[in-house]
Amino acid sequence: MGNVSCFLKGYKLGATFSNIRSNSSPASTSPMAAEQLGVSAENGVQNGKILAAIDDEFDGVIVEMNKAMDPMVFHSMLKASLSQWRQQKKKGVWIKLPIQLANLVEFAVKEGFWFHHAEPTYIMLVYWIPKSQNTIPANATHRVRVGAFVMNEKREVLVVQEKAGSLRGLGVWKFPTGVVDEGEDISDAATREVMEETGIDSEFVEILAFRQTPKLFFEKSDLFFVCILRPLSFDIQAQELEIEAAAWMPLEEYAAQPFVQKHEKWMKRIIDIYKAKVDGVYAGFSRLLTEAKNSLYVNEKGLISCNNNII
Amino acid sequence: MGNVSCFLKGYKLGATFSNIRSNSSPASTSPMAAEQLGVSAENGVQNGKILAAIDDEFDGVIVEMNKAMDPMVFHSMLKASLSQWRQQKKKGVWIKLPIQLANLVEFAVKEGFWFHHAEPTYIMLVYWIPKSQNTIPANATHRVRVGAFVMNEKREVLVVQEKAGSLRGLGVWKFPTGVVDEGEDISDAATREVMEETGIDSEFVEILAFRQTPKLFFEKSDLFFVCILRPLSFDIQAQELEIEAAAWMPLEEYAAQPFVQKHEKWMKRIIDIYKAKVDGVYAGFSRLLTEAKNSLYVNEKGLISCNNNII
């Protein structure tokens, strides 16, 4: 997996990291490949000197440590392993250390490894053996959030006041918002957040518009998708932890808030677009299912106008 | 910054992590706040016993280590600091360790810290003091990629063959694709990738459609935006490192490739949508500038039809 950027380049490719791992060795034909290769059984150790590694598709190797090891032994084995991999013309070297083995991190760093990414339970380190420029792919770059317009038959929209954040105590009503969970579809996140915050059941209609804000959070950019949902229930039950109050509010009243008017290039504009939508002219991106769990978001109305049927 | 999720909830908020840091203390009024508070000057040490920390907006503290420290001293000071922060009713505790201080990671972990995220040069650890459920925000969840349709006046599209990846050597022509860099706008990434891969100068027109693929890469989801670009130059210069060949190819010929036809729910559908666009009916999302460097992507044509002018 030395060069996963290639992997990312091809829109055709649907394999996951674990797929790559399990398919990368001729001997491995299932997700149990690591264990079959003796990685689990021998704690990353092969023949007592070299760290057990699995080849990846990009002339690289992957080491997945999973049991405690004396740091000095690890350091020594890592040196020997790098020497061998260099002879074998390997490129990228990945070492995944569970948080329980945090004491090994510094020894990988001493050998020139750097941090690729970390999640609560592990850190992934990486090293590039050749003298050529490395093609190690970057870490995830974006957070994705959703906001939801939900309107009932009285032309009222669903709004909330939050208990935390900079708007708390200011009496500002806003539409429900939230963060898309790892692996969750945007449309599913929108209906989930509305349910969590207000108890309203709803179904996804379309993405009205979205905004990209560079480097909003830890240098990561923010993609904020404004969604239209159709309510399937109407009795509000505000969530206690995060929500101060929730209500159905006439759209005009919502739009008239100073908070909205003040942000004319964002909030006010979004409401103008939403009004264009409610009046039946504007078309956003709705969701089509493609292969597997993938979603394709397109302007279906634009396609219907064109062909009189959906592609 | 114990509860940055609140921060993320509010679409109004445009501050960055560094803004929060520098604004969080009454004593700090500029990006130099950390140094003013003596953090840089004293290497994370305040009065010899407690790690220097800056308050965040969410009743938490941030420790930014920047010089070497004996691990045992660090461990001892961290224990004393946690005790003090607990008395002060602090919530989230963030410790940023540059990769040079990788030897301190295990001691933070011993005190209950876990990994929040890592970038090549540092790791961010976090801990939640209260007994209540933590509201520490998750790490970035998405990679964002772009693909670009660029058509000349002969109804030919710009296509490339890649040197690496699973399509290499198969003779498949695909439109230029690439990964959005950290902090880069989607539209800018599209024109940059086309320039890098083919030498063609272009301008962004709109997003035709986009696809979300869950957990494509290290459990991270993939957002793939298909963009329409207008060429501003026409002489191709294929990039040597990644591109085997680049060409202008009749759209019909491109679409007739077995590779495209095989993926009827994705590639073929995208080309059908593109044809609807080329024929002047379909409307995707174009880019409007909002505040600062933010981009709002909307169906401008839908707005024009509605109001006879752009909002």
Side-chain angles (χ1 to χ4, degrees):
Chain A
M1 197 150 185
N3 185 348
V4 194
S5 63
C6 306
F7 161 67
L8 283 164
K9 284 285 201 173
Y11 38 70
K12 177 194 168 196
L13 303 171
T16 64
F17 182 59
S18 52
N19 289 143
I20 289 182
R21 287 212 317 272
S22 59
N23 294 332
S24 58
S25 160
S28 65
T29 55
S30 80
M32 298 299 289
E35 293 198 356
Q36 288 167 7
L37 287 170
V39 177
S40 293
E42 302 179 34
N43 184 33
V45 184
Q46 238 175 12
N47 74 36
K49 290 176 185 171
I50 306 296
L51 294 168
I54 300 174
D55 291 342
D56 67 27
E57 278 189 341
F58 304 97
D59 303 324
V61 294
I62 303 164
V63 175
E64 193 161 343
M65 298 293 294
N66 48 43
K67 284 184 186 164
M69 182 185 287
D70 179 86
M72 296 308 139
V73 174
F74 172 74
H75 195 181
S76 162
M77 289 180 68
L78 180 56
K79 283 183 179 179
S81 304
L82 282 170
S83 175
Q84 177 172 304
W85 296 327
R86 186 169 281 113
Q87 286 178 5
Q88 293 171 343
K89 308 283 186 197
K90 296 296 182 189
K91 293 179 175 173
V93 180
W94 300 81
I95 298 181
K96 184 176 180 180
L97 291 176
I99 191 164
Q100 294 81 359
L101 304 188
N103 62 331
L104 304 184
V105 172
E106 67 172 296
F107 298 96
V109 171
K110 277 181 182 162
E111 291 309 308
F113 281 74
W114 64 90
F115 304 146
H116 185 268
H117 68 279
E119 294 295 331
T121 59
Y122 75 90
I123 182 163
M124 182 73 80
L125 295 112
V126 70
Y127 181 68
W128 185 251
I129 294 179
K131 289 180 179 168
S132 62
Q133 190 188 350
N134 87 63
T135 50
I136 303 286
N139 197 354
T141 49
H142 286 66
R143 303 254 337 201
V144 181
R145 291 184 302 141
V146 289
F149 277 119
V150 190
M151 182 180 274
N152 66 16
E153 291 185 349
K154 300 176 192 166
R155 206 179 161 95
E156 294 167 332
V157 288
L158 187 61
V159 292
V160 298
Q161 290 187 354
E162 293 178 347
K163 281 189 174 171
S166 69
L167 299 181
R168 65 181 162 187
L170 298 180
V172 171
W173 293 98
K174 55 192 284 293
F175 53 56
T177 57
V179 177
V180 177
D181 288 339
E182 200 148 280
E184 185 178 39
D185 196 83
I186 292 164
S187 59
D188 296 333
T191 53
R192 175 184 54 75
E193 283 288 348
V194 165
M195 171 59 79
E196 283 179 8
E197 295 193 353
T198 69
I200 297 294
D201 189 20
S202 63
E203 64 182 4
F204 176 80
V205 179
E206 67 179 36
I207 290 169
L208 191 72
F210 68 92
R211 184 181 68 165
Q212 175 165 344
T213 307
K215 302 194 174 186
L216 180 62
F217 177 63
F218 290 130
E219 298 298 304
K220 303 299 183 183
S221 296
D222 181 79
L223 275 173
F224 186 88
F225 290 88
V226 181
C227 300
I228 310 285
L229 307 183
R230 184 180 297 119
L232 299 175
S233 71
F234 300 90
D235 292 337
I236 291 172
Q237 287 195 310
Q239 184 208 49
E240 287 192 8
L241 183 65
E242 295 180 334
I243 302 300
E244 184 65 40
W248 290 105
M249 172 178 281
L251 178 59
E252 301 305 332
E253 189 178 331
Y254 172 73
Q257 294 181 97
F259 165 74
V260 171
Q261 293 297 317
K262 194 172 74 179
H263 295 89
E264 61 178 348
K265 288 195 174 174
W266 165 231
M267 287 304 302
K268 189 169 176 302
R269 185 183 259 162
I270 281 291
I271 292 173
D272 286 343
I273 298 170
Y274 183 51
K275 286 180 184 168
K277 173 66 196 176
V278 171
D279 294 337
V281 179
Y282 183 88
F285 278 7
S286 53
R287 180 189 186 196
L288 302 178
L289 289 174
T290 61
E291 305 94 342
K293 292 178 180 173
N294 302 346
S295 298
L296 183 64
Y297 288 89
V298 303
N299 174 358
E300 273 187 288
K301 195 181 277 185
L303 295 173
I304 294 169
S305 314
C306 178
N307 303 325
N308 290 324
N309 59 6
I310 300 172
I311 289 175
Chain B
M1 197 149 187
N3 184 346
V4 193
S5 63
C6 307
F7 161 67
L8 283 165
K9 285 285 202 177
Y11 39 70
K12 177 194 168 197
L13 304 171
T16 65
F17 181 62
S18 53
N19 289 144
I20 290 183
R21 286 213 318 270
S22 58
N23 294 331
S24 59
S25 161
S28 65
T29 55
S30 80
M32 297 299 290
E35 292 198 358
Q36 289 168 7
L37 287 170
V39 178
S40 293
E42 300 179 34
N43 185 32
V45 184
Q46 239 174 13
N47 73 38
K49 290 178 185 169
I50 305 296
L51 294 168
I54 300 174
D55 291 341
D56 67 27
E57 279 188 342
F58 304 96
D59 304 323
V61 294
I62 303 163
V63 175
E64 194 161 343
M65 298 294 293
N66 48 44
K67 283 184 186 166
M69 181 184 287
D70 178 86
M72 296 307 139
V73 174
F74 172 75
H75 194 181
S76 162
M77 289 180 68
L78 180 56
K79 283 183 179 179
S81 304
L82 282 169
S83 175
Q84 176 172 305
W85 295 327
R86 186 169 281 113
Q87 285 179 7
Q88 293 171 344
K89 308 281 186 201
K90 296 297 182 189
K91 293 180 176 173
V93 180
W94 300 81
I95 299 181
K96 184 177 180 179
L97 292 176
I99 192 165
Q100 294 81 0
L101 304 189
N103 62 330
L104 303 183
V105 172
E106 67 170 296
F107 298 96
V109 171
K110 277 182 182 164
E111 291 309 308
F113 281 75
W114 64 91
F115 305 146
H116 185 270
H117 68 278
E119 294 294 331
T121 60
Y122 75 90
I123 182 164
M124 182 72 80
L125 295 114
V126 70
Y127 181 68
W128 185 250
I129 293 179
K131 289 180 180 170
S132 63
Q133 190 188 354
N134 87 63
T135 51
I136 302 286
N139 197 356
T141 47
H142 285 66
R143 303 247 348 195
V144 181
R145 291 185 301 141
V146 289
F149 277 118
V150 191
M151 183 179 273
N152 66 16
E153 291 185 351
K154 299 177 193 166
R155 204 178 162 97
E156 294 167 331
V157 288
L158 187 60
V159 291
V160 298
Q161 290 187 355
E162 293 179 346
K163 281 189 174 173
S166 70
L167 298 182
R168 65 180 161 187
L170 298 181
V172 171
W173 293 97
K174 54 192 285 292
F175 53 52
T177 57
V179 177
V180 177
D181 288 339
E182 200 150 280
E184 185 179 40
D185 196 83
I186 292 164
S187 59
D188 296 332
T191 53
R192 176 184 54 74
E193 283 288 348
V194 165
M195 171 58 80
E196 283 179 8
E197 294 193 352
T198 69
I200 297 294
D201 189 20
S202 64
E203 64 182 4
F204 177 79
V205 178
E206 69 180 34
I207 290 169
L208 191 73
F210 69 91
R211 185 180 67 165
Q212 175 165 343
T213 306
K215 303 197 173 184
L216 180 61
F217 177 63
F218 291 129
E219 298 297 304
K220 303 299 184 184
S221 296
D222 181 78
L223 276 173
F224 186 89
F225 290 89
V226 181
C227 301
I228 311 285
L229 308 183
R230 183 180 297 118
L232 300 175
S233 71
F234 301 90
D235 291 337
I236 291 173
Q237 286 196 311
Q239 185 209 49
E240 286 191 9
L241 183 63
E242 294 180 334
I243 301 300
E244 184 65 40
W248 291 104
M249 172 180 280
L251 178 59
E252 302 305 333
E253 189 177 329
Y254 172 72
Q257 294 181 97
F259 165 72
V260 171
Q261 294 297 317
K262 194 172 76 179
H263 294 88
E264 62 178 348
K265 288 194 173 175
W266 165 231
M267 287 305 303
K268 189 169 176 301
R269 185 183 259 162
I270 282 290
I271 291 173
D272 286 342
I273 297 170
Y274 183 51
K275 286 180 185 170
K277 173 66 195 176
V278 171
D279 294 337
V281 179
Y282 183 88
F285 278 8
S286 53
R287 180 190 185 196
L288 302 178
L289 290 173
T290 60
E291 306 93 344
K293 292 177 182 174
N294 302 348
S295 298
L296 183 64
Y297 288 89
V298 304
N299 174 358
E300 273 187 287
K301 194 181 278 185
L303 295 172
I304 294 170
S305 313
C306 178
N307 302 324
N308 288 326
N309 59 7
I310 300 171
I311 289 172

